[in-house]
Amino acid sequence: MKLSVFGTGYVGLVTGACFAEMGNSVTCVDIDAEKINSLSRGIIPIYEPGLSELVERNVINGQLKFSLDGEAAVASCDICFIAVGTPMGKDGSADLQYVLAVADTIGRNMTGDTIVVIKSTVPVGTSGKAREVIAQRLAERGESFTFRMVSNPEFLKEGTAVNDCLRPDRVILGVSDEESAEIMSALYAPFMKNSYRAVVMDIPSAEMTKYAANAMLALRISFMNELSSVCEAVGADINNVRIGIGSDGRIGYKFLYAGCGYGGSCFPKDVRALIVTAKENGCTADILEAAESVNERQKLVLVNKIIKKFGEDLSGRKFAVWGIAFKPDTDDTRYAPSLSIISELTKRGAVVTAYDPLVKVLPEKNDAVTVAPDKYKALEGADALILVTEWKAFRSPDFDEIKAKLKTPVIFDGRNQYDAATLRGAGFYYEQIGRQS
């Protein structure tokens, strides 16, 4: 099939490359000329394992192209995918201006019957708004082409997005007619040769499914983080509790790790957008608001432990931070807990040396922060090591070298990566989440 994918961020670029891998002719469109030029030369603007090779292979074989010409892309395709960003607005709602701008482009440039697929994460009712824009533009042109709206939300995880796209655990198809369901099912069939995992439903349900999935995962994280505080207070160990409840088949082990909060481009934005949607429709969102509140509080748990150890005034103190990205295997720092922790430390007069395997520059300049070239270099002369992101490179470090580099052998572990008894037996002051020190 001939596909056009509007947007070359995480979702659009991965989606376009994976559809091209399956033999479709794909044109990825963006309004950013620098990005399109870079992509055309094989320069990938984001880090995602396996993506660079996938893009290069399909550009070489002619299945994947990059373009600034949205008009031509619409005119030549069978299916138009909208995969642009929906950033958080000032009121917390999803900003739909980019989605509707693409709908406008589609309506102005359709030359025949088309399927319009919204893959961006959008509130319930967005497909209807896009439909109105397209219909209005067609009416202005005096055209009566048939177009069908489809909601096909993405479920890609940063760090495993290529695999998630090529081997989806489910494909949600929100449709309003049987023909759209058949065409979209045929498009996705090559991705599901072993077992067919497409779920066909109405469009509003598909739009809600994406938000519901992210909100549920965020709730699990915040539940465990809140429980970790109770465990510390009563003398229980959150890691033992996790194993105990995770062994229940109704609960399972995924997303049950206590830590210093969730971040990234999805959970914070989607939880807030769902809260706004609920309130706009006269509903309460008490559990969602609680999850959001717990997450913001959890980002400061390590800071509070540091203050308890070193005092409120951190002037003259230096801290080493391992991990800047919000999670391993990505360079994404949006809403990353590390940024909140670093900000709170420097506000109190501390200086910070941070290290991350991928992130080499902080998103906002802070004169009190430097980024070290390697993890051990970051430790030199520091009063403590703060582990924030659970990269594999941090799982089995040389603790003798850590002790030698630090001014004092102190570790604050925000991801419960190390064995407390071993470290304390080796002379470390060691604090973790959800367990009494």
Side-chain angles (χ1 to χ4, degrees), residues 269-290:
K269 176 175 69 73
D270 294 352
V271 169
R272 173 46 41 184
L274 189 51
I275 291 171
V276 172
T277 296
K279 292 188 173 182
E280 286 179 345
N281 289 275
C283 302
T284 60
D286 296 345
I287 294 177
L288 296 173
E289 289 181 320

Side-chain angles (χ1 to χ4, degrees), residues 87-98:
M88 189 187 301
K90 291 182 178 179
D91 63 351
S93 63
D95 185 346
L96 300 178
Q97 63 172 308
Y98 306 111

Side-chain angles (χ1 to χ4, degrees), residues 8-14 46-48 156 158 330-332 334:
T8 57
Y10 267 99
V11 176
L13 187 54
V14 172
I46 57 176
Y47 176 80
E48 188 62 43
L156 308 179
E158 291 185 38
T330 182
D331 58 357
D332 194 344
R334 286 173 287 185

Side-chain angles (χ1 to χ4, degrees), residues 107-409:
R108 291 181 185 278
N109 296 283
M110 283 172 55
T111 57
D113 296 350
T114 306
I115 291 179
V116 179
V117 182
I118 297 184
K119 189 162 273 291
S120 303
T121 300
V122 296
V124 175
T126 300
S127 291
K129 293 178 180 179
R131 182 193 300 276
E132 291 176 3
V133 171
I134 296 170
Q136 184 176 347
R137 296 296 171 263
L138 286 174
E140 291 170 355
R141 293 169 56 198
E143 300 287 2
S144 57
F145 300 125
T146 298
F147 69 96
R148 299 176 175 86
M149 298 300 304
V150 173
S151 174
N152 174 217
E154 54 86 16
F155 296 96
L156 308 179
K157 302 183 291 295
E158 291 185 38
T160 61
V162 171
N163 185 69
D164 292 341
C165 192
L166 292 174
R167 301 170 185 82
D169 54 13
R170 82 284 207 193
V171 173
I172 302 297
L173 298 175
V175 301
S176 56
D177 64 279
E178 193 170 313
E179 185 174 350
S180 295
E182 291 175 355
I183 293 173
M184 292 301 296
S185 295
L187 177 65
Y188 274 106
F191 296 88
M192 299 180 285
K193 287 295 186 183
N194 292 331
S195 61
Y196 190 71
R197 299 174 297 282
V199 183
V200 179
M201 59 182 71
D202 59 277
I203 290 175
S205 295
E207 292 172 330
M208 179 59 82
T209 295
K210 168 63 176 181
Y211 279 113
N214 279 353
M216 174 62 77
L217 297 176
L219 287 171
R220 286 172 69 97
I221 293 170
S222 283
F223 172 76
M224 291 303 290
N225 282 335
E226 186 156 69
L227 202 60
S228 72
S229 298
V230 180
C231 286
E232 285 193 32
V234 302
D237 185 336
I238 190 64
N239 290 319
N240 290 335
V241 174
R242 175 184 62 82
I243 294 169
I245 65 175
S247 60
D248 186 329
R250 297 169 300 174
I251 298 172
Y253 291 104
K254 292 184 177 180
F255 286 83
L256 288 187
Y257 289 90
C260 41
Y262 58 76
S265 63
C266 295
F267 288 5
K269 176 175 69 73
D270 294 352
V271 169
R272 173 46 41 184
L274 189 51
I275 291 171
V276 172
T277 296
K279 292 188 173 182
E280 286 179 345
N281 289 275
C283 302
T284 60
D286 296 345
I287 294 177
L288 296 173
E289 289 181 320
E292 186 178 58
S293 176
V294 168
N295 190 59
E296 291 307 304
R297 186 169 68 243
Q298 196 69 16
K299 291 180 180 181
L300 301 181
V301 166
L302 286 184
V303 176
N304 293 333
K305 290 177 180 291
I306 292 166
I307 291 172
K308 184 178 178 181
K309 171 68 175 174
F310 293 106
E312 183 72 33
D313 183 2
L314 299 176
S315 299
R317 299 287 185 183
K318 178 182 178 181
F319 296 97
V321 171
W322 279 4
I324 303 173
F326 85 94
K327 62 179 281 188
D329 297 317
T330 182
D331 58 357
D332 194 344
T333 60
R334 286 173 287 185
Y335 302 101
S338 64
L339 302 183
S340 298
I341 293 168
I342 290 171
S343 176
E344 291 298 323
L345 295 178
T346 56
K347 280 180 187 176
R348 291 168 171 80
V351 296
V352 172
T353 302
Y355 170 75
D356 188 279
L358 287 179
V359 181
K360 303 307 176 186
V361 179
L362 292 184
E364 294 185 8
K365 182 176 175 55
N366 186 331
D367 291 334
V369 183
T370 58
V371 179
D374 66 68
K375 62 186 177 184
Y376 294 116
K377 191 75 173 176
L379 302 173
E380 294 178 355
D383 292 281
L385 164 62
I386 306 166
L387 177 65
V388 181
T389 311
E390 63 276 31
W391 284 92
K392 290 179 181 177
F394 302 150
R395 288 185 183 178
S396 300
D398 184 335
F399 289 107
D400 289 335
E401 186 164 1
I402 291 175
K403 183 182 280 190
K405 296 280 189 183
L406 290 173
K407 184 188 297 183
T408 52

Side-chain angles (χ1 to χ4, degrees), residues 36-59:
I36 290 297
N37 289 336
S38 295
L39 287 167
S40 298
R41 289 183 285 118
I43 301 172
I44 309 300
I46 57 176
Y47 176 80
E48 188 62 43
L51 180 59
S52 181
E53 298 85 350
L54 191 69
V55 169
E56 181 181 13
R57 180 166 61 249
N58 285 283
V59 168

